[in-house]
């Protein structure tokens, strides 16, 4: 008799039953509370500012911007905005409920992702206690530094696709009707929709490989629904304001912005000197120690793991995506090695579950202590800690006009505060290309020729990080006058023939 392949194995359901459901809720709820509190104490994402301002433009004009309205370096250039619908929704929520409303929405997205990870672990034969613990591991590895970040929409949808395909392959029947409408929504919310299609394509590749190898048998994973879902998913992706241009946009960005990806911190490979990446390193070590090419996993899981791990090693931005796929796979191998992890919550005593409550309370206390320098970012407006708020106030007070040279990470903030009256040098949108980012790096580093470049671009105002070489160079230059300085920034305005313009009194600090 043929030995079943890993992909052919049926799941061993371990339902908690009605008596165990209360214990399961009591075990999972404190973990979700801790996650929700962690979301409150977080910085404002640098891209949130331009996302919300773009949503306002869409709401007020009734159309999606097709060219760049925000910068002077790319003014009039075609803009394919892969998050246009997210931008509109961010503005719609903020206009009704303030920034706190978006915090609630994205906290809900994070908690939904956690529940999907938990459900996927349960599908992988782990009991409720082990699934809850692995869900917490996922959050510790994947938590982004910002609480309202559109990338978390992709993390949620990747978790949904991984769960849906896992359930389909285990059941070996049914249809994948949910996949095309998911991609239809996803491609209009965030450019990470490619990951959802990649998971499906890898599952198809694994099934095809088995069939070509002659190992297909009765009860094997059906191929046709996968192919139909993929074809309909591709068709659904073309239902967007830009058609094929938005479909191809993620692929073009990765190839056209090599320098930009090399200079933007979150696109760097993870540094394992950073304590925040040590948990990710632990997850990788567990993956290597357990191995994924063994029962109860199969070719699909191996392909998934290889792709997401390579992505995460290439860029720390992809660590949340890697974790949402990899944690349940590691859990599947753990329960195969340690069968006790399959134990259901009904076998756990109440005293053990209740012991989690003081541990979670202690965890929240530690979190609050660690976040004492950050405000609870749930106000009507997002926190501007770390952003050039003093410079913006000075620009408005003095009614400074003209093009603004700015730090890459501050462009969105300046767009939010100063549009439509002024335009920025650069911001976090994926439309500038590596050449402009290289140029900005040279200017901010006060490399030879920086003055000529700013004059050629008719830059009249500069908002510079106070520790940048450019700040020191502008202080010494007769062509620039420092107007004010804030906690993180210094504001300069161009002088005419070395003499400050009228209305530019001394420095305000």
């Amino acid at each position: 008799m043929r030995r079943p392949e890993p992909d052919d194995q049926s799941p061993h359901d371990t339902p908690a039953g009605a008596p165990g459901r209360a214990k399961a809720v009591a075990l999972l709820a404190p973990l979700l509370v801790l996650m929700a509190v962690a979301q409150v104490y977080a910085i404002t994402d640098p891209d949130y500012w331009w996302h919300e301002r773009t949503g306002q433009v869409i709401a007020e004009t009734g159309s999606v911007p097709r060219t760049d309205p925000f910068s002077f370096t790319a003014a009039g250039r075609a803009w394919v905005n892969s998050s246009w619908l997210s931008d509109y929704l961010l503005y719609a929520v903020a206009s009704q409920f303030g920034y706190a409303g978006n915090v609630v929405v994205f906290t809900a997205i994070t908690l939904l992702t956690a529940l999907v990870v938990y459900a996927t672990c349960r599908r992988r034969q782990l009991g409720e206690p082990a699934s809850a613990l692995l869900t917490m591991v996922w959050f510790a590895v994947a938590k982004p530094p910002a609480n309202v970040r559109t990338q978390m929409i992709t993390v949620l949808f990747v978790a949904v696709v991984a769960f849906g395909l896992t359930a389909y392959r285990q059941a070996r029947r049914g249809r994948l009707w949910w996949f095309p409408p998911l991609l239809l929504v996803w491609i209009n919310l965030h450019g990470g929709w490619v990951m959802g299609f990649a998971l499906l394509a890898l599952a198809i590749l694994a099934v095809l490989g088995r069939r070509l190898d002659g190992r297909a048998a009765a009860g094997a994973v059906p191929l046709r629904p996968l192919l139909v879902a993929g074809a309909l998913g591709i068709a659904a992706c073309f239902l967007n304001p830009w058609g094929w241009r938005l479909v191809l946009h993620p692929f073009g960005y990765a190839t056209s912005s090599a320098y930009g990806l090399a200079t933007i911190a979150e696109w760097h490979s993870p540094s394992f000197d950073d304590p925040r990446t040590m948990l990710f390193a632990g997850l990788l070590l567990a993956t290597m120690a357990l191995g994924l090419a063994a029962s109860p996993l199969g070719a699909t899981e191996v392909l998934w793991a290889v792709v997401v791990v390579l992505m995460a090693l290439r860029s720390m931005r992809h660590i949340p995506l890697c974790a949402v796929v990899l944690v349940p796979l590691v859990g599947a191998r753990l329960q195969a090695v340690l069968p006790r992890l399959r134990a259901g919550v009904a076998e756990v005593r109440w005293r053990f579950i209740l012991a989690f409550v003081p541990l979670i309370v202690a965890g929240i206390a530690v979190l609050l202590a660690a976040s004492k320098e950050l405000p609870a970012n749930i106000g009507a407006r997002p926190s501007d800690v770390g952003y050039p708020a003093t410079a913006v106030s000075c620009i408005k007070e003095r009614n400074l006009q003209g093009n603004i040279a700015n730090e890459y990470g501050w462009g969105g903030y300046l767009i939010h505060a100063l549009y439509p009256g002024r335009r920025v040098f650069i911001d976090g949108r994926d439309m500038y290309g590596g050449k402009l980012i290289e140029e900005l790096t040279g200017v901010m580093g006060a490399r030879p020729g920086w003055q000529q470049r700013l004059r050629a671009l008719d830059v009249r105002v500069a908002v510079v990080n106070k520790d940048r070489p450019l700040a020191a160079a502008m202080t010494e230059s007769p062509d620039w006058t420092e107007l004010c300085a804030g906690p993180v920034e210094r504001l300069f305005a161009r002088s005419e023939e070395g003499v400050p313009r009228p209305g530019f009194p001394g420095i305000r600090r």
Side-chain angles (χ1 to χ4, degrees):
M1 183 176 181
R2 185 181 68 88
R3 180 180 179 272
E5 296 291 339
D7 279 346
D8 295 338
Q9 293 179 351
S10 300
H12 301 287
D13 294 327
T14 56
R21 290 196 185 98
K23 288 184 177 180
V25 171
L27 184 66
L28 196 56
L31 300 180
L32 297 178
V33 170
L34 177 59
M35 294 179 191
V37 173
Q39 289 294 98
V40 170
Y41 290 88
I43 63 173
T44 305
D45 184 64
D47 290 337
Y48 172 82
W49 309 95
W50 69 257
H51 279 303
E52 186 193 316
R53 178 62 74 208
T54 302
Q56 182 179 1
V57 171
I58 295 172
E60 291 177 350
T61 64
S63 62
V64 179
R66 303 292 181 139
T67 57
D68 176 27
F70 297 134
S71 77
F72 61 87
T73 50
R77 182 184 299 177
W79 179 24
V80 178
N81 183 6
S82 58
S83 61
W84 71 273
L85 184 55
S86 294
D87 298 348
Y88 174 77
L89 295 175
L90 284 171
Y91 171 72
V93 172
S95 62
Q96 294 295 319
F97 307 103
Y99 183 72
N102 279 317
V103 173
V104 171
V105 169
F106 277 80
T107 297
I109 288 173
T110 298
L111 298 185
L112 282 173
T113 308
L115 292 174
V116 176
V117 171
Y118 174 84
T120 307
C121 289
R122 295 285 293 124
R123 294 291 310 188
R124 294 290 183 185
Q125 324 314 320
L126 290 141
E128 293 92 341
S131 296
L133 179 61
L134 284 172
T135 300
M136 198 62 204
V137 170
W138 163 78
F139 181 75
V141 172
K143 183 187 181 302
N147 50 11
V148 178
R149 186 170 189 180
T150 56
Q151 186 196 20
M152 293 310 296
I153 298 172
T154 280
V155 176
L156 170 61
F157 285 171
V158 167
V160 169
V161 171
F163 172 81
L165 291 178
T166 298
Y168 170 76
R169 291 172 55 253
Q170 288 179 344
R172 298 188 296 279
R173 60 182 175 81
R175 303 181 187 278
L176 298 170
W177 59 265
W178 50 269
F179 187 76
L182 181 71
L183 250 63
L184 171 61
V185 174
W186 195 347
I187 193 172
N188 290 288
L189 288 172
H190 192 262
W193 64 271
V194 176
M195 275 301 300
F197 191 80
L199 294 182
L200 179 67
L202 292 172
I204 292 173
L205 182 62
V207 175
L208 283 173
R210 172 158 300 171
R211 295 196 174 199
L212 293 174
D213 193 36
R215 289 185 290 169
V221 177
L223 178 60
R224 183 177 178 181
L226 292 169
L227 294 174
V228 171
L232 293 178
I234 292 176
C237 286
F238 285 87
L239 300 177
N240 68 78
W242 291 271
W244 62 269
R245 289 190 294 273
L246 185 57
V247 174
L248 297 180
H249 181 68
F251 305 98
Y253 176 63
T255 58
S256 66
S257 303
Y259 187 89
L261 301 186
T263 55
I264 300 172
E266 73 169 3
W267 287 101
H268 291 177
S269 297
S271 171
F272 292 101
D273 292 331
D274 187 339
R276 293 176 297 176
T277 60
M278 291 305 294
L279 284 171
F280 173 62
L283 180 61
L284 293 184
L285 291 173
T287 303
M288 290 187 289
L290 292 165
L292 294 180
S295 178
L297 304 180
T300 298
E301 288 84 359
V302 173
L303 291 173
W304 285 359
V306 168
V307 169
V308 298
V309 168
L310 287 176
M311 289 176 60
L313 290 176
R314 173 63 182 85
S315 167
M316 66 180 73
R317 173 186 173 89
H318 295 138
I319 288 178
L321 296 175
C322 177
V324 83
V325 174
L326 198 58
V327 165
L329 302 185
V330 171
R333 286 293 296 129
L334 278 172
Q335 64 84 18
V337 175
L338 302 172
R340 288 181 62 88
L341 294 178
R342 304 173 192 167
V345 74
E347 302 174 37
V348 180
R349 295 181 180 274
W350 269 108
R351 67 182 66 178
F352 175 81
I353 295 175
L354 294 177
F356 267 80
V357 176
L359 290 177
I360 295 300
V361 172
I364 292 175
V366 170
L367 178 66
L368 295 179
S371 305
K372 61 183 179 181
E373 296 183 0
L374 291 174
N377 203 359
I378 52 173
R381 287 179 45 82
S383 168
D384 57 12
V385 172
Y387 292 97
T390 301
V392 165
S393 296
C394 187
I395 290 172
K396 291 180 177 179
E397 178 182 317
R398 299 170 183 263
N399 193 29
L400 302 182
Q401 301 296 320
N403 296 336
I404 301 174
N406 60 275
E407 301 283 347
Y408 175 86
W410 292 348
Y413 178 80
L414 295 174
I415 287 171
H416 189 274
L418 301 175
Y419 179 81
R422 295 91 171 174
R423 294 195 176 198
V424 300
F425 188 110
I426 199 171
D427 57 90
R429 291 173 296 155
D430 55 359
M431 62 172 297
Y432 292 100
K435 184 177 180 181
L436 186 64
I437 297 177
E438 182 178 9
E439 184 176 21
L440 175 67
T441 302
V443 169
M444 290 298 170
R447 295 174 186 170
W450 67 268
Q451 297 194 64
Q452 293 83 347
R453 189 56 188 148
L454 290 183
R455 188 174 290 277
L457 291 170
D458 193 29
V459 171
R460 313 300 305 179
V461 181
V463 182
V464 186
N465 187 301
K466 64 179 183 180
D467 298 322
R468 283 279 197 182
L470 183 62
M474 283 186 163
T475 301
E476 298 174 359
S477 172
D479 294 335
W480 294 90
T481 300
E482 184 173 0
L483 301 183
C484 66
V488 296
E489 82 278 17
R490 296 170 70 180
L491 175 68
F492 296 87
R494 182 178 292 280
S495 306
E496 295 296 338
E497 298 179 355
V499 180
R501 287 180 168 191
F504 289 180
I507 301 173
R508 188 186 73 191
R509 297 185 183 274

